[in-house]
Amino acid sequence: MGADEPRVSRAERRRRTEARILDAARESFARSGYDRTTIRAVAAAAGTDPGLVMRYFGSKERLFALVAELSPDEPLAGPAEDVAELLLRSLAEKLRGEQTGTLAMLRSMLTHPEAGREVRAAISEQQRQVAAAIPAPDADLRAALVGAVTLGAVIGRDLLRLDGLSDAAAEDVVDVLRPAVHAIVGEID
């Protein structure tokens, strides 16, 4: 450490190490899925010891849960058209953002039962929130369909890399889906 460099506290060093471990885990789960990701590989990629990974995160399951965590979306409220636009804005953000956490979640949920249960629980909670904001008697079905459309767009773009979708701008994808999402969310007379 040079004379001009400030001393880094132990807490700051730990925070930086945890961040490196989470970044390495996110990349590994996204690339290799749950079953083929190992604590040793994550530690090596993070430039640390496997024992430290276990000390900070406790288990591979806990590490996965943190890196694949579904971030909460904006609270949903208002008329159907506002709810539809909030959902479309959330989809655009997912399509524009860094996808390693999403890819980790998608790959792992398909190959590991525990990961699948965690992802289903998080998605189910999001669907309950969407259903509560949809003014229709079949709100649960409509929320599930919006979720399926969103999940399908993300999987098709980032995991399957479908032609036409993988290189499309997030705004273009949202613009094409807008009428469908509004029709699903809004009450049809």
Side-chain angles (χ1 to χ4, degrees):
M1 194 178 302
D4 294 337
E5 294 179 36
R7 275 187 71 76
V8 177
S9 72
R10 174 180 263 180
E12 178 59 21
R13 283 194 313 268
R14 178 182 172 132
R15 190 197 64 71
R16 289 179 184 175
T17 301
E18 286 176 344
R20 279 195 331 272
I21 292 168
L22 288 171
D23 287 343
R26 203 172 282 113
E27 288 292 329
S28 184
F29 284 120
R31 183 182 56 256
S32 303
Y34 185 90
D35 289 332
R36 294 188 312 183
T37 294
T38 66
I39 293 296
R40 284 187 193 280
V42 169
T48 193
D49 182 77
L52 194 58
V53 175
M54 294 303 288
R55 191 169 103 210
Y56 286 173
F57 298 99
S59 68
K60 181 174 153 179
E61 291 80 12
R62 174 77 177 124
L63 187 58
F64 172 77
L66 289 171
V67 302
E69 189 171 87
L70 298 171
S71 58
D73 290 323
E74 212 174 314
L76 297 171
E81 62 247 12
D82 291 351
V83 171
E85 286 303 316
L86 284 171
L87 293 168
L88 289 164
R89 188 169 40 248
S90 175
L91 173 59
E93 289 170 14
K94 286 178 176 98
L95 294 175
R96 277 194 296 268
E98 175 59 44
Q99 295 301 319
T100 53
T102 301
L103 289 175
M105 174 204 57
L106 293 173
R107 285 190 202 287
S108 298
M109 72 182 233
L110 299 173
T111 60
H112 191 269
E114 182 61 30
R117 278 190 292 279
E118 289 180 28
V119 171
R120 272 191 300 284
I123 290 173
S124 292
E125 177 55 32
Q126 288 178 341
Q127 281 185 223
R128 279 190 286 282
Q129 292 174 17
V130 171
I134 295 176
D138 57 353
D140 289 337
L141 173 60
R142 290 170 185 262
L145 288 170
V146 170
V149 167
T150 300
L151 192 57
V154 173
I155 288 171
R157 179 186 173 93
D158 296 321
L159 190 60
L160 299 175
R161 311 258 333 130
L162 295 175
D163 290 345
L165 182 57
S166 66
D167 58 353
E171 291 74 22
D172 293 341
V173 173
V174 168
D175 285 346
V176 169
L177 288 175
R178 180 168 276 110
V181 171
H182 275 273
I184 293 168
V185 171
E187 261 189 85
I188 299 172
D189 297 320

